Each structure stands twice: as C-alpha cells, then as structure tokens.
Amino acid sequence: MRAKDKIASIITTLFIWGLAGALFGALFGGLYQVLAVLGLTGWKPLVIAAAAAAMTTSAFYSAMPVALAGAMAGVLASIGYLIVNGQSVELLRIAGTAGVGGILAGIFYAWMVTGGGRPLAETLTGLIAGLLAGGILAALFATMGIQVSLFVLSAGVVALVGTFFQVSERWLVAHSARWFPAALSTPVVAGLIAAVVGASVWIVGGTTSAMLGSNAQNSANQILSAVPPGFLGGLLGGAVTGVMLQILGFRPEQPH
C-alpha cells in the first residue's frame, strides 16, 4: 500500500472510530450518571450502562433503518402510554409498551424489506461486548480500589467494547447470523431499541416528576454534565482503538 493510501486509511479510521466512540461515550456517560442518580452503586451502573450503550450503538451500526423504525415506534408508543396513563409512569410498563410497538414495527419492516439475521447477531454481539467490558473494568477497579473520572472511564469502555466487538465479529456474527431468520431478527432489534426509548422517556417523565419537590435541578445538571466527558473520552478511546486495530490487521466491516 502506498504512503498516500496508508495516510488516507488512517484518517478515515480515525474519523469513523472517533465518531462512533464519541456517540457511544456520550450515551454511556449519560446512562451511567442516570443510574447513579437513581441510586445504583458499585458495579451495577458501569455494567448496565456499558451493555445498553454497546447494544444500542451496535444496532444502529448494523441496521440503521431497522433501529430508526424501532426508535420511532418507541417514541409513538411512549407518547400513547403517557396520554392514557397521565402522571403514572412505571418503567416496566412504558418500556414494555414501547417494546411491543417496536416489535410490531419490526414485523412490518421484515414483511416489506427482505433481510437476514445479521442485525440481531450484531446487536447481541454488542451486548456481550458491553457486558464483558463493564464487568472487566468493574472488577479491575474494585480489586485495585481506585476511582477514575468519567472521561477515563468512557475511554476505557469504548476501547474494550470496540476491541471485543471487532475481534469477535468475524466469527461470532458470521456464525450466529444464520441462526436468526429475518422474521425474528428485525422485530427483536426494533423491539429492543423501542424499549430503550421507552426507558428513556420514563427517566425524563417519571423520575424527574418524582424529584420536582427535592433536588430535580441538581440531578438534571449532574446528568447533563456527564455527557461532555463521556463524549470526549469515547472520542479518544474510539480513535486510538481504531488505529491500533487497523495496524494489527482488523478492518471495520461494512454495515448491513
């Protein structure tokens, strides 16, 4: 490969991995702080936020039209839930309602557009990568007894998830995609994304309304302040990891 082509390839990798890592890190940072505000401690916010962010990012990476259909269905179903139930917002109910709406949208999408099982395989691979990355970092920090900033935490999570995902994608996704028919893959992915949207609506509409009489403004500021360091940490972690993987011979797969 010519020097010009190598430089162009590195710049492209920096852009793609940096952007993906930044979006991942921002989502992770926000989720991590939300879970901390809700009272989760120890390893729970780290593992849950890493898994949810990895799953969501993988879904949009592998099948953006399916993920967008699920997100739209989740928004509409959540609005309908709020209209019917008013101020009574419960996490399982609104997430379940949104998830059902996403499944229905996914069924319709699978009927309209022919596809395969890769979207679900990619999403599950992202979920597994997020669980592994969150679990490893949580165990490491607990063993060493150290605390790190959200910037460093986001960079570490993005780096580990990106590495696990890229290394395992060649064999895990390729082998598991054939197990999932399109009639199952698309509805499940759309339903998962819609459920995440419903849970997000619950966070905004449920928890904040319950905290209006106490420290709602402080909690909201904490959540919003977690997004920039998550974004920057994810940007750094994604860019560095992408270049390192490219040097080692791994190339990002084209999304399907």
Side-chain angles (χ1 to χ4, degrees), residues 14-248:
L14 282 171
F15 177 79
I16 294 175
W17 277 80
L19 178 59
L23 296 176
F24 183 108
L27 178 59
F28 167 79
L31 288 174
Y32 181 87
Q33 193 60 49
V34 165
L35 294 172
V37 168
L38 293 177
L40 273 69
T41 58
W43 58 268
K44 295 178 182 178
L46 174 55
V47 174
I48 294 174
M55 179 189 71
T56 305
T57 305
S58 299
F60 276 97
Y61 168 81
S62 62
M64 185 173 291
V66 177
L68 290 176
M72 182 61 67
V75 170
L76 296 176
S78 298
I79 292 175
Y81 176 91
L82 294 175
I83 292 175
V84 173
N85 291 275
Q87 297 298 320
S88 178
V89 182
E90 298 183 12
L91 174 59
L92 294 180
R93 290 187 178 181
I94 191 171
T97 301
V100 171
I103 290 174
L104 293 176
I107 292 174
F108 178 75
Y109 185 93
W111 178 64
M112 293 290 296
V113 180
T114 303
R118 191 176 181 88
L120 181 54
E122 295 263 14
T123 302
L124 292 178
T125 301
L127 175 62
I128 294 172
L131 290 173
L132 288 174
I136 289 174
L137 288 178
L140 179 63
F141 295 150
T143 302
M144 299 180 63
I146 60 175
Q147 292 183 346
V148 298
S149 66
L150 191 57
F151 172 85
V152 175
L153 189 60
S154 298
V157 169
V158 169
L160 283 179
V161 169
T163 301
F164 290 155
F165 185 87
Q166 193 64 41
V167 170
S168 64
E169 187 183 28
R170 294 188 176 185
W171 58 272
L172 184 58
V173 173
H175 286 81
S176 61
R178 68 189 66 172
W179 301 343
F180 308 123
L184 172 66
S185 176
T186 302
V188 170
V189 172
L192 287 173
I193 296 299
V196 171
V197 171
S200 302
V201 172
W202 171 80
I203 291 171
V204 175
T207 58
T208 55
S209 64
M211 294 186 295
L212 283 178
S214 55
N215 60 344
Q217 187 61 46
N218 183 47
S219 298
N221 290 336
Q222 290 179 18
I223 295 171
L224 292 176
S225 65
V227 174
F231 181 92
L232 295 175
L235 176 65
L236 176 63
V240 173
T241 303
V243 173
M244 292 300 297
L245 287 174
Q246 186 183 47
I247 293 174
L248 294 174

